[in-house]
Amino acid sequence: DAKTTQPNSMESNEEEPVHLPCNHSTISGTDYIHWYRQLPSQGPEYVIHGLTSNVNNRMASLAIAEDRKSSTLILHRATLRDAAVYYCILAERYGNKLVFGAGTILRVKS
Amino acid sequence: GAVVSQHPSWVICKSGTSVKIECRSLDFQATTMFWYRQFPKQSLMLMATSNEGSKATYEQGVEKDKFLINHASLTLSTLTVTSAHPEDSSFYICSVRGLAEFYNEQFFGPGTRLTVL
């Protein structure tokens, strides 16, 4: 499984944008980039995924580098409810096997 | 999307007993469900892939005789931890793969916290 590298933790102020980076230099051509987040004592929650082009949905935006070796999850206006562990995961198209790394702990300050 | 429930949400048992955890897909029929385990302050680890009507596929290092998985219907998969010991204490989470436009997503249950005394 291709690996991802994320910062251990990040901090943001409430209502400001947050950019969560992920490096995946060994990504293969068929790997999709998935982001999930996990709030304390809960199961993970799907955030967004993409292949080559930048993606937007109601939760976040995903910016993918042209060489696909890195990506950035963008939360446009962080709220206290966005405090969670964010996981960047590479998986084949139909995401059968999700291999979770350590993720990034996002802390949001009011 | 999909709504996934787990029962129980938490359970405490004595060492040597067996515990069954249920995972239900509430609003659609799930042919594939996944079971994960998460120890405190660690990440999720995939234990097995559960396919309706067939044997589960276990990840390397996961004992299939200890963690029995039954996916008898399209809405229910169960994980039974047999002869549980304190080292099996963990947060067990199931997920289902979405359908149609959600096929690339997994929808997770709220988790079951198992404590073995």
Side-chain angles (χ1 to χ4, degrees):
Chain A
D1 301 316
K3 293 192 182 298
T4 62
T5 304
Q6 300 177 251
N8 291 333
S9 65
M10 292 185 64
E11 201 167 77
S12 169
N13 293 318
E14 199 175 9
E15 299 193 3
E16 289 187 358
V18 182
H19 290 233
L20 296 164
C22 180
N23 288 319
H24 28 78
S25 58
T26 60
I27 189 171
S28 75
T30 56
D31 283 334
Y32 278 67
I33 302 158
H34 297 253
W35 284 83
Y36 284 78
R37 71 180 185 181
Q38 185 178 23
L39 278 65
S41 298
Q42 295 186 28
E45 174 186 29
Y46 168 83
V47 178
I48 200 166
H49 78 277
L51 182 62
T52 56
S53 305
N54 294 344
V55 185
N56 300 296
N57 66 19
R58 63 175 180 79
M59 289 183 69
S61 295
L62 176 60
I64 302 172
E66 200 168 327
D67 63 5
R68 300 210 325 126
K69 293 186 176 182
S70 66
S71 61
T72 302
L73 178 70
I74 302 166
L75 306 179
H76 297 285
R77 281 182 72 232
T79 69
L80 296 178
R81 291 185 300 174
D82 291 322
V85 180
Y86 286 79
Y87 298 100
C88 169
I89 302 168
L90 302 183
E92 293 180 358
R93 179 171 186 176
Y94 296 116
N96 224 14
K97 183 173 176 176
L98 297 181
V99 179
F100 285 79
T104 295
I105 300 171
L106 175 65
R107 298 183 178 90
V108 181
K109 298 184 297 182
S110 59
Chain B
V3 180
V4 181
S5 71
Q6 285 185 236
H7 178 80
S9 55
W10 59 270
V11 56
I12 301 172
C13 70
K14 293 183 179 180
S15 185
T17 60
S18 294
V19 175
K20 180 184 285 188
I21 301 169
E22 294 183 347
C23 175
R24 291 184 183 274
S25 174
L26 297 182
D27 52 359
F28 77 96
Q29 296 178 329
T31 56
T32 303
M33 294 184 176
F34 306 91
W35 286 97
Y36 295 81
R37 179 169 56 181
Q38 185 174 33
F39 292 109
K41 298 195 184 302
Q42 294 188 22
S43 190
L44 283 80
M45 285 186 56
L46 179 65
M47 299 176 67
T49 302
S50 167
N51 297 297
E52 188 268 338
S54 64
K55 291 183 179 180
T57 302
Y58 290 82
E59 294 299 303
Q60 192 173 10
V62 177
E63 299 174 57
K64 62 180 181 181
D65 294 330
K66 180 169 182 62
F67 299 99
L68 301 178
I69 293 173
N70 187 317
H71 192 159
S73 78
L74 289 172
T75 59
L76 174 64
S77 176
T78 61
L79 168 68
T80 301
V81 183
T82 62
S83 186
H85 291 283
E87 58 265 30
D88 298 321
S89 298
S90 188
F91 194 45
Y92 292 86
I93 309 168
C94 71
S95 72
V96 306
R97 188 167 64 199
L99 298 176
E101 69 266 35
F102 302 109
Y103 199 69
N104 252 321
E105 304 173 28
Q106 285 189 25
F107 298 90
F108 288 81
T112 296
R113 190 162 302 281
L114 170 64
T115 302
V116 185
L117 304 177

